[in-house]
Amino acid sequence: MILTLSTPGSKMAAPGALAYSVTCAGKESFSRVLAAELAPRNIRVICLRPHAIADAPAAGSYTKDLFKTLIWYKDTADGQPVEEWLPDSAMAQSTMLKRLPTLSEVAETAAFMASDRAGAMTGTVANLSCGSVVD
């Protein structure tokens, strides 16, 4: 079982995000083709596509520094720490569920996909974007 990781950037078109979007879309395509290559060996491949993970900065993720740069550039957080800003950000509010996924949700999905309970799944993308993109 192989898990790969992408982002909603694979499906979003935005100015200035060409390289990032193409990279994410390429990872998803790679996962599908790799699944076809490895299926005869009974190896499954699934790509996870979470949006920004709401509680990752508070858990010590490098995204804390990444989002600090974004906040400074866009001047949208009014000096709030990333841990407070991200969960209720415009990014979160733009999803269908009006929130971002949590570390627990991503980890539990990864564990399920890696388990025998998801044994019939391969060559697909698990969309954990809270509805920021739909398949």
Side-chain angles (χ1 to χ4, degrees), residues 5 48-51 53 101-111 128:
L5 191 61
L48 302 179
R49 185 198 298 143
H51 204 326
I53 300 171
T102 64
L103 281 170
S104 176
E105 289 171 327
V106 175
E108 288 175 18
T109 301
L128 301 165

